[in-house]
Amino acid sequence: MNNSKQNPLIMKDRKLALLIKVKAYTLTEILVVLVIIGILVLLALPNLLPLITRAKSTEAKIQLEHLATLEKNYFFERSKYSNDPNELGFIQEKLSTDGKDGKANYKIEIVTASNNGFVARATAVADFDGDGTLNVWEIDQDKNLKEIIGD
């Protein structure tokens, strides 16, 4: 079979395929859509920051309530509160500032402890909204949870 001669029917199909227009978006149209989406994200982000801060502060509340429960159990066994979270069995999760494996956003510590009560504090290790203040929460022996410094 001779390759120099091609079937005229195949040549006609190729020319026809080149003439058919495929409906698609141009690069300019796609870029315009991406720019509009970017602008919308920039407009929405300031409104979402307080929501993100509130969600992260939930970590502090849960950890402090857990520590208060451990303190209460310790008190029932020994009739005093402990200054040492390790003695209570509380394990501080690795902080997000300690490296790539860290997930905790709050450092938990016991500020004071006596025979009558205790105060524990959760201090943020990062500034969530970029205003220069770190979020701080405290809890006491009666499980009175309060935000000391808002972020």
Side-chain angles (χ1 to χ4, degrees):
M1 182 174 222
N2 188 355
N3 288 340
S4 62
K5 291 183 179 180
Q6 290 190 351
N7 188 342
L9 212 54
I10 294 174
M11 290 294 290
K12 188 176 180 183
D13 286 344
R14 285 186 184 164
K15 288 180 182 177
L16 186 62
L18 292 174
L19 293 176
I20 295 174
K21 283 196 165 201
V22 177
K23 291 189 176 191
Y25 296 107
T26 65
L27 182 60
T28 307
E29 291 170 330
I30 292 172
L31 288 175
V32 167
V33 169
L34 289 175
V35 167
I36 290 171
I37 290 171
I39 291 170
L40 291 174
V41 167
L42 287 174
L43 290 173
L45 193 59
N47 295 333
L48 295 176
L49 282 176
L51 183 65
I52 293 168
T53 302
R54 238 185 359 253
K56 289 186 178 183
S57 68
T58 302
E59 174 192 340
K61 295 175 192 177
I62 290 171
Q63 291 295 327
L64 286 174
E65 287 173 355
H66 175 63
L67 185 66
T69 301
L70 292 173
E71 280 281 15
K72 190 65 85 176
N73 292 340
Y74 185 88
F75 178 79
F76 289 145
E77 292 174 4
R78 295 178 178 84
S79 298
K80 66 177 184 173
Y81 292 101
S82 174
N83 271 327
D84 184 13
N86 295 326
E87 189 177 10
L88 299 171
F90 181 82
I91 299 169
Q92 171 72 58
E93 195 173 333
K94 194 170 184 184
L95 298 173
S96 59
T97 56
D98 290 345
K100 64 180 180 180
D101 295 334
K103 294 183 176 107
N105 293 306
Y106 286 87
K107 182 177 184 342
I108 310 295
E109 59 189 343
I110 299 171
V111 180
T112 60
S114 66
N115 292 341
N116 301 327
F118 77 94
V119 174
R121 180 179 295 150
T123 306
V125 294
D127 183 12
F128 303 132
D129 60 4
D131 65 356
T133 59
L134 298 177
N135 193 229
V136 178
W137 288 84
E138 284 186 355
I139 195 166
D140 62 12
Q141 69 281 353
D142 297 323
K143 285 196 172 183
N144 294 323
L145 185 64
K146 56 187 166 192
E147 187 175 30
I148 304 302
I149 300 173
D151 189 17

